[in-house]
């Protein structure tokens, strides 16, 4: 069973990350939030902090956010837009 969803992390200058993940933990405005496949539609504000991306082979990638921004979860896609 496929548990992956699409993840896009974008800044005005470049694409920071584009790929698939099984889990993403991100620094939402009121605390850390984990996104999994089939998550309910959601929008919110990002704060500075660390994003943890877990892939299907259990490898993890950490990305440090130095800027704030917004996130959107819709149709098995997580979009992070940084300022």
């Amino acid at each position: 069973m496929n548990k992956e969803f699409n993840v896009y992390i974008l800044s005005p200058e470049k694409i920071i990350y584009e790929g698939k993940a099984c889990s993403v933990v991100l620094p939402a405005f009121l605390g850390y939030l984990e996104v999994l496949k089939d998550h309910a539609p959601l929008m919110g504000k990002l704060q500075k902090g660390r994003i943890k991306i877990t892939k299907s082979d259990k490898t993890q990638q950490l990305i440090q956010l130095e800027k704030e921004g917004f996130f959107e979860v819709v149709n098995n896609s997580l979009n992070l837009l940084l300022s």
Side-chain angles (χ1 to χ4, degrees):
M1 182 178 202
N2 185 5
K3 296 183 180 183
E4 293 181 312
F5 58 95
N6 296 315
V7 179
Y8 303 95
I9 303 175
L10 310 169
S11 74
E13 298 84 27
K14 63 181 179 176
I15 297 172
I16 296 171
Y17 180 88
E18 180 178 2
K20 296 203 176 272
C22 288
S23 166
V24 177
V25 178
L26 54 91
F29 187 69
L30 295 176
Y32 278 86
L33 171 73
E34 182 175 22
V35 177
L36 303 170
K37 184 176 180 187
D38 297 326
H39 196 289
L42 180 66
M43 292 180 72
K45 186 174 178 183
L46 289 170
Q47 62 182 358
K48 295 177 185 178
R50 185 175 292 167
I51 297 173
K52 182 171 75 171
I53 300 170
T54 305
K55 299 180 183 181
S56 61
D57 62 1
K58 304 300 183 210
T59 60
Q60 294 183 342
Q61 182 172 351
L62 299 175
I63 299 172
Q64 183 67 34
L65 289 184
E66 301 297 332
K67 299 178 179 180
E68 295 179 343
F70 295 91
F71 70 91
E72 172 191 47
V73 181
V74 64
N75 297 330
N76 283 318
S77 184
L78 171 61
N79 304 301
L80 285 76
L81 306 173
L82 308 179
S83 57

